[in-house]
Amino acid sequence: MTARAPRPPQALTPCLLIDLMSWPFFSLAKSPRHVPVDFRMGRVSMTVAGRDASPMATIWDADILIWAVSTLIVARRQRQPVSSHVRGSTREILRFLGRGDSASRYVRLRAALDRLTNTQVTTSLRQTSDSASGFSWLVAWQERRGALDLILPPWLCDAVKGRAILELDPRYFTLTGAFARWLYLLVRRHAGRQRDGWSFDLKHLHEKSAALSPYPRFVFEIRRLVEAQSLPGYRLWLDSGPDGTPVLYFVPDTDSGSGSESYPQTSVDNPVGNV
C-alpha cells in the first residue's frame, strides 16, 4: 500500500470568533484595568475581571487568541481534530502578529499570556435561557525551547467547531490604538462585505465598548478615526440621526486595494437586531 503524502503546511490567515468581535471582552485602556466589565444588553450579559487583583486582558493581548483561533481553523480545514491544545513556535507567533522577535517582545508576550490566564469571564453568550458559562481565556500556558503550548477553554474550542468565525485583514495588527482595533473588529463583524454596510449611533457604541472613558472623549476618538480613515477595507462617516445623536456609518471600501480575497463573500447578518 502506498503511503499517503502528508499535506503541505497551510499559511495562517488571521481569524477570530464573531462573538469576540461584538462584545466588550477586553480592556481598551493602555494602563492596567482593574475595574471589571459588567455589561448587560438585551439577552447578553457578561462580567470580565482580573483574578486576585490582576489586570484584565487587553485588546492587544487578544492577538494571541487570534493566532490560536487561526491555527485551529487551519486544522479544521484540513479535517484534523480541533483540540484545546495549541502549539507553535514562539518566534513564528510573534512574526504572525507583526511584533518581531526582540527580547522585549518575548517579555511582553509572557505578560500577555499571564493576563489572559488571569482574566475571568462569566457570560450568557451561547448558553440556554437563564444560564451562564465561566472561563479564563487560557487554561494554562508553557514556553519551552522556543515553543509555546496553550490550553484553551472549551467555550473557545466549541465556538471554533461551530464555524462562528470571520477572517481579518492582516493589516489589523498594524493598528496601534485600542479604539481603532476595537472599532475594526466591530465594523468587520457587522458590515462584512454587505454593499450597504451598517450603522450604529454613538451612544449605543459607547455602551457597547464598555470603555472607561466618558462619552465626550469616546466621541472625540471616533471622530478622529473617521478623519484618519485608517480601518483596513472600510470607509467610515458620521451623520446625525432623527434625534440629533451622531450616527457612525461604515461600508466595505472596494477601492482600498485590499482585494476581495481578504474577506469571505458571504454576508454577515445580525439576527437579533442592532446589537
Side-chain angles (χ1 to χ4, degrees), residues 117-178:
T117 305
N118 290 322
T119 296
Q120 182 66 31
V121 180
T122 304
T123 181
S124 63
L125 272 175
R126 285 198 251 108
Q127 306 301 309
T128 57
S129 179
D130 299 323
S131 64
S133 180
F135 56 90
S136 294
W137 292 118
L138 293 179
V139 176
W141 67 273
Q142 182 180 58
E143 183 189 3
R144 183 173 55 183
R145 297 178 182 176
L148 184 64
D149 287 273
L150 307 180
I151 298 180
L152 305 175
W155 188 92
L156 205 59
C157 293
D158 291 345
V160 172
K161 293 175 184 177
R163 300 179 180 272
I165 60 99
L166 283 176
E167 294 181 2
L168 308 180
D169 192 307
R171 292 174 293 175
Y172 168 77
F173 296 124
T174 68
L175 299 174
T176 57

Side-chain angles (χ1 to χ4, degrees), residues 59-80:
I59 198 163
W60 295 279
D61 299 338
D63 287 359
I64 298 170
L65 299 181
I66 294 176
W67 169 79
V69 169
S70 305
T71 301
L72 293 179
I73 292 303
V74 168
R76 194 183 74 185
R77 288 171 176 168
Q78 295 183 339
R79 298 186 178 181
Q80 297 174 0

Side-chain angles (χ1 to χ4, degrees), residues 93-110:
I93 293 170
L94 286 171
R95 289 182 176 176
F96 173 76
L97 302 179
R99 299 187 183 185
D101 55 2
S102 64
S104 63
R105 296 296 186 180
Y106 286 92
V107 173
R108 294 176 185 175
L109 178 66
R110 294 172 192 128

Side-chain angles (χ1 to χ4, degrees), residues 252-275:
D253 185 2
T254 56
D255 299 324
S256 66
S258 60
S260 60
E261 69 278 1
S262 297
Y263 302 101
Q265 296 299 310
T266 53
S267 297
V268 180
D269 62 10
N270 186 358
V272 294
N274 191 30
V275 300

